[in-house]
Amino acid sequence: MAGAEAGMVVLTALWLMLPAYLSNMLPVVVGGGAPIDLGRRWRDGKRLLGDGKTWRGLLLAPLLAASITFALQWLVDHTAWGQAYGFPGWGAWPTWFVLAYALGLGALTGDALESFVKRRTGRDRGERWFPFDQLDFILGALLFGFLVGPAHFLALFTWPRLLAIVLLTPALHLLVNWLGYKLGLKAVPW
Ligand code: CTP
Ligand code: MG
């Protein structure tokens, strides 16, 4: 029974983080165009963020991620399959959409802040920096999610789920990036 309960904690935690995960993955597909830093350089002569952080990725990915999550949640709420096997809902529209968008935007903001620190510490675009490449976007997502509605956030993101997210995301992230590399979507396997 304890095993089944732990399994549910993990599954519901990953379900809740789906907007953040999707948002973090989608820029390799929808990103590109003008970089967020518009090519500007810091005092050290290096780029503020680099060409890997674009406006399209930052703004479009969370919107797409929230939309996909909405479609999935709708299926869970409106199909027999969903009724039988679905996970807890996000709350009524538009609360869930705002939360999902916040999780996605927070993920990419954390990702961009990490790039800033990577550039300042002499790491080039795409260079791996374990475990920060894996954790930056979770912390950003959780922070934005909390800020947009603390009570709603804390009701969904319970302590066991938060623990599952922090422990499992790095492994998931490495797996997805490796798959992205194999599929030719990413230049490096991390
Ligand atoms: N991407 C984007 N806009 C963003 C974030 C990501 O367009 N806001 C795209 C870029 O094409 C980027 C790719 O998604 O190269 C993978 O993202 P990530 O691994 O975070 O960027 P890196 O290229 O590794 O750059 P950095 O070293 O700055 O993390
Ligand atoms: Mg990277």
Side-chain angles (χ1 to χ4, degrees), residues 27-28 31-32 52-54 57-58 111 115 118-119 124-126 186:
V28 298
K53 305 294 124 154
T54 68
L58 179 73
D111 178 56
S115 288
K118 274 171 96 173
R119 299 300 92 85
D124 290 331
R125 173 188 177 184
K186 272 183 71 85

Side-chain angles (χ1 to χ4, degrees), residues 157-168:
F157 289 83
T158 57
W159 288 113
R161 284 178 182 151
L162 287 171
L163 187 68
I165 288 164
V166 172
L167 291 180
L168 292 176

Side-chain angles (χ1 to χ4, degrees), residues 14-50:
L14 298 183
W15 178 249
L16 284 169
M17 279 300 271
L18 197 60
Y21 293 153
L22 289 173
S23 189
N24 200 51
M25 284 156 56
L26 283 167
V28 298
V29 186
V30 301
I36 299 173
D37 65 11
L38 300 174
R40 273 186 287 240
R41 288 168 193 281
W42 188 248
R43 302 184 205 109
D44 55 15
K46 296 207 160 81
R47 287 284 294 277
L48 225 51
L49 303 175

